Amino acid sequence: MYLETERLIINNLSLDDLDFLTDLDADPLVRKFIDGKVKTINETRQYLSENIDGYLRHGFGRYAVRVKEDLKPIGICGFLMENYGVDFGYRFSQSAWGQGIAKEAGNSVIRYGVDRLKLKKIVGIVLPDNIASEKVLISCGFTFVGMDEVWGKKIKRYEITH
């Protein structure tokens, strides 16, 4: 998969992205609204393998988001198959925060999911106090459908349905 936006290149993660992902998942602020736990290199390696397997199994996974000018990875954005449906999610290095990167990447990935992957329903979940991610979901076209519980946590559930 390959997408290009004004500032970004979005493509499949590869084993070469392990060091970047390890750094990303070792940042407690990046992980704060996911599960609040930093990941070890072995956990990150497993997560990377699951995404690469997802490309083959489901036709999607989380994708690498890279700065167009130098291809430096700054985050991930994409889809995972979860027990509650096709999950849209993302996380970015702190250096990318506050610049509209999540919205830019998210809109491009959502268009890809709807137009190319023909996804009928995409779910976005967010913890109630994660206002920034809630704004990203809304700007990407998600509609709030209600409160739910996922992995023992109360969450706000958003969806895009086609």
Side-chain angles (χ1 to χ4, degrees):
M1 190 280 282
Y2 179 91
L3 301 172
E4 193 171 322
T5 69
E6 181 181 332
R7 300 179 288 174
L8 307 170
I9 299 293
I10 304 165
N11 61 5
N12 287 358
L13 289 163
S14 74
L15 295 177
D16 293 337
D17 294 311
L18 179 61
D19 288 343
F20 163 71
L21 272 180
T22 299
D23 290 344
L24 185 69
D25 280 343
D27 184 333
L29 288 177
V30 169
R31 302 281 314 168
K32 178 180 179 181
F33 291 113
I34 300 169
D35 59 9
K37 302 173 188 166
V38 297
K39 290 191 176 282
T40 66
I41 189 168
N42 287 334
E43 290 169 324
T44 301
R45 185 179 288 114
Q46 177 65 30
Y47 180 78
L48 179 59
S49 294
E50 289 167 4
N51 277 279
I52 292 170
D53 182 58
Y55 303 145
L56 302 173
R57 179 176 285 174
H58 305 294
F60 57 78
R62 298 282 199 253
Y63 306 111
V65 178
R66 305 174 196 282
V67 176
K68 190 184 249 183
E69 65 187 33
D70 61 8
L71 298 182
K72 177 183 175 195
I74 56 171
I76 60 174
C77 181
F79 311 106
L80 291 178
M81 184 60 73
E82 297 287 359
N83 61 357
Y84 53 83
V86 176
D87 175 79
F88 170 75
Y90 50 87
R91 58 184 171 275
F92 292 93
S93 300
Q94 288 188 54
S95 64
W97 292 1
Q99 301 174 42
I101 298 287
K103 179 181 176 181
E104 185 176 334
N107 277 305
S108 183
V109 168
I110 291 294
R111 272 195 315 276
Y112 175 78
V114 171
D115 296 344
R116 300 286 303 279
L117 297 175
K118 306 297 185 199
L119 298 175
K120 300 295 182 212
K121 184 192 292 185
I122 304 168
V123 178
I125 62 171
V126 62
L127 292 172
D129 54 345
N130 191 350
I131 305 302
S133 277
E134 193 169 12
K135 287 179 181 178
V136 169
L137 290 177
I138 292 166
S139 73
C140 288
F142 283 83
T143 302
F144 178 70
V145 294
M147 298 299 292
D148 205 344
E149 187 172 317
V150 175
W151 304 304
K153 295 182 180 194
K154 294 282 185 202
I155 54 98
K156 291 183 172 182
R157 182 183 176 108
Y158 284 80
E159 294 180 359
I160 291 177
T161 310
H162 287 275

